[in-house]
Amino acid sequence: MTEKAERAALIDFAAPAREVARLAAGTADAQLSAPTPCPAYAVRHLLGHLVGLTAAFGDAARKDLGPTTSTPPDTELPDVAPGWRAELTRNLDGLLAAWRAPDAWEGETQVGGVTLPGAVAGRFALNELVLHGWDLARATGQEYAPDEASLKVAHGLLATVADEARGGSLFGPAVPVAPQAPLLEQVVALGGRRPDWTATTTADG
């Protein structure tokens, strides 16, 4: 195995992609207007964001740069369109295949209008699936069981985000949790979410 292939094998999107696909399939149309842990998003906006980010990060892996990779994520409020379930499934499959290519992790790419190393973009992509998977599960009342390897990658990335980089469109301020909290709770808290969030806590932020 080449060095590039070894690096690509360190992160596998299969488990988080499968989990997001399961959660999306379990989301009823009646839940699209429900609140989520992302203050500006209802479920329909969260799903629209997932459709968009999976397309963007797939293109970023392929170095297919254009509108999907050059547009900042907060340009407009995302929303679902007819056929969003099939589109999200296609995008997840494309994302998974694209990041399995060793070249995806080499050189520079672009996503959200930001140029960054491919290896960093891949970790951001995985983190997006992990965090937004939790968001969707909480908003729709579904169980969430991310794999430990993905949680460790997300934790490693989020732990490096400086305080001054928080409070924008990517991450909110980190939420304090006990040092011995489960890894998922630590990841969620570092991502600016309250691990105890439910729809009834929305008014409390």
Side-chain angles (χ1 to χ4, degrees), residues 17 23 28 59 67 87 89 114 129 140 142 146 150-151 158 160 163 195:
L23 292 165
D59 287 342
E87 184 178 7
T89 297
V114 178
L129 295 184
T140 58
Q142 300 184 70
S150 294
L151 284 175
L158 292 168
T160 67
D163 289 343

Side-chain angles (χ1 to χ4, degrees), residues 4-5 7-9 11-14 17 53-65 68-69 89-106 109-110 118-119 121-123 125-126 129:
K4 286 197 297 183
R7 255 181 279 175
I11 296 178
D12 190 353
F13 286 79
L53 77 86
T54 48
F57 277 104
D59 287 342
R62 292 183 287 268
K63 312 296 195 295
D64 184 11
L65 308 185
T68 61
T69 64
T89 297
R90 287 194 301 270
N91 289 356
L92 286 166
D93 289 343
L95 178 82
L96 175 59
W99 285 103
R100 279 182 170 168
D103 286 347
W105 301 87
E106 296 296 310
T109 189
Q110 181 190 61
R123 285 165 171 77
L126 188 83
L129 295 184

